[in-house]
Amino acid sequence: MLERGTGTILVSSGAGSGPVIAPHVANVQIATGGMRNWILNLHAALSGTGVYAAHVAIAAFIGQGGHDSQPQTMADAYWRLHTERSDAELVVQDLPDDYLERGLADKFVES
């Protein structure tokens, strides 16, 4: 990609990798948080080279929530990232309002 001076790298993970705090998935988010950090730094390092890298943080049940979590809406968002090539990160936030409280073990929720 660098030799050609063009290319796109889009990497997706759950939003618990950084933009959303989700203690019930903290174990796997240790790894995805590192990946997110690497992609955000890669985005900065590739500036001006013609190669674009971005992270997509998904806080949604794809196809089961509102408009933002529908497959076509998400596909359009990925396409915009690829064509506009500006943002280092896109956060798809379409979870039920009480999702984090419902997903936590009792020890994390006030009684």
Side-chain angles (χ1 to χ4, degrees):
M1 286 187 213
L2 287 172
E3 286 180 17
R4 287 192 325 255
T6 187
T8 300
I9 302 165
L10 299 177
V11 177
S12 303
S13 72
S17 61
V20 174
I21 304 303
H24 62 290
V25 289
N27 55 345
V28 72
Q29 300 306 355
I30 293 168
T32 59
M35 179 195 66
R36 174 184 179 250
N37 185 42
W38 183 77
I39 292 298
L40 295 177
N41 280 288
L42 184 61
H43 173 85
L46 292 172
S47 178
T49 67
V51 179
Y52 170 69
H55 178 247
V56 179
I58 302 173
F61 296 111
I62 300 171
Q64 298 178 27
H67 176 36
D68 289 344
S69 64
Q70 296 308 307
Q72 187 59 52
T73 304
M74 293 184 70
D76 292 343
Y78 276 80
W79 184 249
R80 271 192 315 279
L81 279 176
H82 168 68
T83 57
E84 294 174 7
R85 305 169 71 82
S86 58
D87 297 324
E89 183 168 51
L90 168 69
V91 179
V92 178
Q93 177 78 25
D94 195 12
L95 289 170
D97 290 337
D98 66 345
Y99 169 74
L100 291 176
E101 290 79 26
R102 286 185 303 155
L104 297 179
D106 292 341
K107 63 184 175 185
F108 294 113
V109 180
E110 290 183 35
S111 314

